[in-house]
Amino acid sequence: MSLFSRIKNILAKPEPPMPEKSMMTIGPGDVCEISLVTYQVVGRTQNRQRSLIMLTLQDGSDIRYLTIEERERTVYAIYGPIDGRLDSVEEVPTIIELDERTYHLEEQYSGFITAAGRTPFVQGGEQYVWQYQSDDMKLLRVEWQDGRFMLYEGEDVLPADVRVLRGS
């Protein structure tokens, strides 16, 4: 090794440390904990217009979905897929009765999403979403993209119950 290369190595700046992963930056391959249950992130969809991310989580054979939306504060909700069907995107009702629970339309929006990993919708594109809430604070989410509906039932999660365990 020459004298100049030794001096160069001494004066070289060290590589900056990798930034820590947060819930807004994790993706497939990372591990997180929600309400004391550990999940591996296997998919991620993102709607940049709304600062909304939906993570596909897997714990063994159990699949769950975590939505993270940055508003005045970061809002988390965890969902499980449910069987259901709607006939047309033009006929999504404002009130849905499901298993003796009545859900009322809270908000409706659309936007372009990007997808990575294993997600309900294989590729990104224009997606329509209807968010419902029942009187007992349960949530219902209806998504439509490329002629396909997905329905999810869930609940809000406290920010203190959500954390990143290991980033890839």
Side-chain angles (χ1 to χ4, degrees):
M1 199 182 230
S2 72
L3 178 64
F4 291 112
S5 62
R6 288 183 183 183
I7 293 173
K8 180 180 166 187
N9 288 339
I10 291 172
L11 298 177
K13 293 182 182 178
E15 288 188 33
M18 294 292 290
E20 282 193 35
K21 293 273 188 163
S22 72
M23 289 306 290
M24 293 300 287
T25 60
I26 66 173
D30 295 331
V31 177
C32 64
E33 181 180 271
I34 291 97
S35 301
L36 302 176
V37 178
T38 303
Y39 295 97
Q40 180 177 6
V41 179
V42 295
R44 171 187 169 109
T45 60
Q46 182 171 9
N47 183 331
R48 291 188 188 273
Q49 296 165 330
R50 290 186 60 92
S51 293
L52 181 120
I53 293 168
M54 186 168 184
L55 299 173
T56 305
L57 307 174
Q58 186 170 7
D59 176 31
S61 63
D62 186 31
I63 299 285
R64 307 279 286 173
Y65 302 93
L66 179 72
T67 59
I68 308 165
E69 186 168 12
E70 284 191 331
R71 294 184 176 185
E72 303 85 39
R73 59 185 180 83
T74 304
V75 179
Y76 299 93
I78 191 154
Y79 294 91
I82 59 173
D83 290 333
R85 185 184 74 171
L86 295 170
D87 294 326
S88 170
V89 71
E90 285 90 22
E91 298 176 8
V92 175
T94 57
I95 297 175
I96 295 179
E97 287 189 33
L98 184 66
D99 296 334
E100 299 179 14
R101 184 176 281 136
T102 303
Y103 294 94
H104 302 275
L105 184 64
E106 190 174 62
E107 70 176 321
Q108 171 188 1
Y109 60 89
S110 65
F112 185 81
I113 65 160
T114 57
R118 296 190 332 228
T119 63
F121 299 101
V122 179
Q123 59 189 16
E126 185 75 17
Q127 183 181 63
Y128 295 85
V129 177
W130 294 264
Q131 288 277 135
Y132 295 84
Q133 187 170 8
S134 68
D135 291 334
D136 60 350
M137 305 301 287
K138 296 293 183 185
L139 304 174
L140 180 71
R141 180 180 175 94
V142 178
E143 296 177 345
W144 181 85
Q145 183 179 341
D146 294 331
R148 179 177 175 212
F149 279 104
M150 284 294 296
L151 284 80
Y152 312 92
E153 193 171 34
E155 59 193 5
D156 287 321
V157 177
L158 295 173
D161 289 341
V162 178
R163 66 186 183 119
V164 176
L165 293 180
R166 185 178 71 235
S168 58

